Amino acid sequence: PEPGVVLQAAAAVRHLSSSAALPSARLAGYLLQGDAGPTLTGTQLEHGTLGLAARLNDTWGAQLVLGQHGSDPVHTEAAWLQARHDGEDAAWLLTVGRQSPALGAVLGGAGHLDTFGLVPLAARMAVNDRWIDDGLQFGWRADAGASSWRADVGLWRGQVFPGAEQGGAVPSLHLGWTQGPWALDAVAARFKPQGRGSAVGGTAGHSHSAPVCDASLTQVVCFSGQSPVAAASLRWSGPDAAPAWPLTLSAAGWLRRDAGTLTSANGQADYRAHNRAGWLEAQWHLHPQWQLAWRGERLSASQSLTGPGASLLAVETQINAYAPITRHSLMLAYSPTAGANVYLETGQETAANRRASFVALRLVLHGRTKTLTPTLSRERERE
C-alpha cells in the first residue's frame, strides 16, 4: 500500500522417497495433458521464485515474478501493472498482465511453497497444478462492521489448461468473505477449449504445455467443447478472542466438467466428465517454532464416452484404467529462524489396488527487502 520497492525471493528444496510410483504423478484415467507428470522423487528444487514489486504512488504499481520447478526452464509467473484506489471503507484495483486469478488464501496458496510438498490432487485435476494466465482483473474490497468482503471479476486469455490455444477468452468470478476466525471463498470460470491436446502412447517426461492438435492427430487425442471449473474453500483459524487456539481447520474442493467431442486418428466420440476433488486440513501450532499438520485428499470422476470410436478412445486416453485416488499426509515443521522452515512429511496414496507410501524432507526459505520512497502526501508524512 505504500510507495516503494520490494524484492522477494523464495525457494523450496525437497528430497522425497516412495515405496512405489505415486499415482498422482501421471494421474492415469483422467483427461489431462497425457504426459508422465512432474518428477516427484529424488532431490530437487521443488519451487523457486524471484520477484520485484514497485508502487510508484498511491495509484500505480507493478510486479514481476520469475519462477522455476526442478530442471524446467525459468518461466514468468507474474508480470502486471495495477491501478488502485484506497478509500476509508472500500478499495478497488484493476490489474492487467500475467497473474494468478484471485482464489483466496486456501485455494491460492495450496501447492505454492505450501505447508505440504505435493500439489493437491484437486489442483492437479482442475488447473494443472496452478492457474497462471494473461488477462485483466477488477477487484473490489470493502469492510462492513466486523466483516470484510471482496469480489474479483476477470477476463483471461484461456490458453492454459483446461483451455487451449483456440477457444476464446475465459471469464472468472471470485467472491470472498471473512469475519473473525472464519474465511469463505468461491470461484468459477468457463473455459471453451477447441482442440485441447492430450498425449497418448505412454508419453514420457513432463510438459507444461498441451500437445498440438493438428490434422495428422499423431499420438494425440483432442477435446473440443466446454470445461467450466468451480472451487470453494472454508477456513477456521481459532476464536479471535485471546488466548487464541493454536488450531487452524480448512476444507477446499475443485470441480471440472468436460462436455464435448474427443477425436483421435482412430475415431471420434462424445465425451462427458464430472471431475471432483477436495481436501481437509488441520494445523496445530504447538509452539512458535513447531507445527504439526494433517491433510486428507480424494480425487474421483464420472466419465462417459459414446459413439463409434468410444472403445478405442477409452484405451488411448486410459479412461478404461480410471480409479479414484486418495492421499493422506502428516507433516511436522520446525522454524529455526525467521524466513526458514524445515518440514518432515510422510504419507500414502491409494488408487484401486495400488498403494505407495512416501517420506519427504523439505527446506523452505523466504527473503524480503523493502525500500520506501517519500510520498507526496503531507498527511502520510505526518503519519
Side-chain angles (χ1 to χ4, degrees):
E2 299 170 296
V5 176
V6 174
L7 177 66
Q8 299 182 90
V13 179
R14 180 184 73 204
H15 177 81
L16 186 145
S17 298
S18 62
S19 61
L22 296 176
S24 62
R26 185 180 287 272
L27 285 184
Y30 298 85
L31 191 64
L32 301 178
Q33 294 185 161
D35 61 287
T39 300
L40 301 178
T41 57
T43 302
Q44 62 176 303
L45 175 65
E46 177 185 302
H47 195 179
T49 62
L50 179 63
L52 177 66
R55 182 151 301 284
L56 306 179
N57 50 42
D58 289 349
T59 302
W60 295 102
Q63 186 182 54
L64 173 66
V65 179
L66 303 178
Q68 186 175 19
H69 305 269
S71 59
D72 293 348
V74 175
H75 58 276
T76 302
E77 296 193 357
W80 50 254
L81 179 67
Q82 183 184 86
R84 65 183 288 171
H85 172 74
D86 295 288
E88 292 185 2
D89 298 320
W92 62 261
L93 51 155
L94 179 64
T95 309
V96 181
R98 176 161 295 186
Q99 55 192 297
S100 294
L103 303 175
V106 175
L107 295 167
H112 177 66
L113 297 167
D114 194 5
T115 301
F116 294 88
L118 298 178
V119 176
L121 299 171
R124 288 285 315 282
M125 171 275 294
V127 292
N128 194 31
D129 291 7
R130 190 172 177 223
W131 186 4
I132 298 175
D133 212 341
D134 300 322
L136 59 90
Q137 186 168 227
F138 177 81
W140 171 80
R141 314 282 183 264
D143 295 323
S147 299
S148 295
W149 299 85
R150 60 183 296 168
D152 300 275
V153 179
L155 189 64
W156 311 98
R157 193 178 182 187
Q159 294 188 2
V160 296
F161 187 88
E165 290 190 5
Q166 303 296 326
V170 174
S172 71
L173 172 65
H174 164 254
L175 300 174
W177 166 83
T178 60
Q179 180 173 328
W182 295 96
L184 177 66
D185 290 276
V187 63
R190 180 171 292 276
F191 291 82
K192 295 182 179 180
Q194 300 299 311
R196 185 182 75 206
S198 180
V200 298
T203 302
H206 174 53
S207 174
H208 288 280
S209 58
V212 176
C213 284
D214 54 22
S216 65
L217 293 175
T218 303
Q219 291 190 315
V220 66
V221 170
C222 300
F223 171 79
S224 295
Q226 299 188 22
S227 290
V229 297
S233 69
L234 178 64
R235 182 178 64 186
W236 179 83
S237 54
D240 52 2
W245 287 21
L247 178 66
T248 299
L249 303 176
S250 59
W254 278 96
L255 300 174
R256 190 189 95 228
R257 183 173 66 88
D258 287 334
T261 303
L262 268 182
T263 306
S264 78
N266 296 313
Q268 188 177 82
D270 181 78
Y271 178 65
R272 297 288 187 272
H274 293 268
N275 303 276
R276 48 197 174 269
W279 69 90
L280 299 174
E281 185 175 316
Q283 298 186 21
W284 293 271
H285 308 281
L286 306 175
H287 181 271
Q289 291 181 294
W290 290 92
Q291 181 183 2
L292 182 67
W294 166 84
R295 178 184 285 176
E297 308 177 49
R298 179 175 171 82
L299 167 63
S300 63
S302 301
Q303 304 177 82
S304 68
L305 277 168
T306 56
S311 297
L312 286 173
L313 283 166
V315 175
E316 286 183 307
T317 57
Q318 294 188 303
I319 289 175
N320 64 335
Y322 157 79
I325 300 176
T326 60
R327 177 198 290 160
H328 292 275
S329 306
L330 185 65
M331 184 279 304
L332 179 65
Y334 172 64
S335 301
T337 183
N341 294 279
V342 180
Y343 299 92
L344 178 62
E345 181 180 350
T346 183
Q348 184 179 82
E349 292 187 0
T350 304
N353 58 352
R354 294 177 295 148
R355 287 188 179 183
S357 300
F358 65 89
V359 61
L361 181 63
R362 306 170 61 225
L363 173 64
V364 181
L365 304 173
H366 294 266
R368 185 171 186 260
T369 62
K370 179 171 66 173
T371 303
L372 298 181
T373 59
T375 70
L376 300 178
S377 169
R378 294 186 176 218
E379 181 178 351
R380 251 189 208 180
E381 287 176 2
R382 287 196 297 269
E383 292 177 354

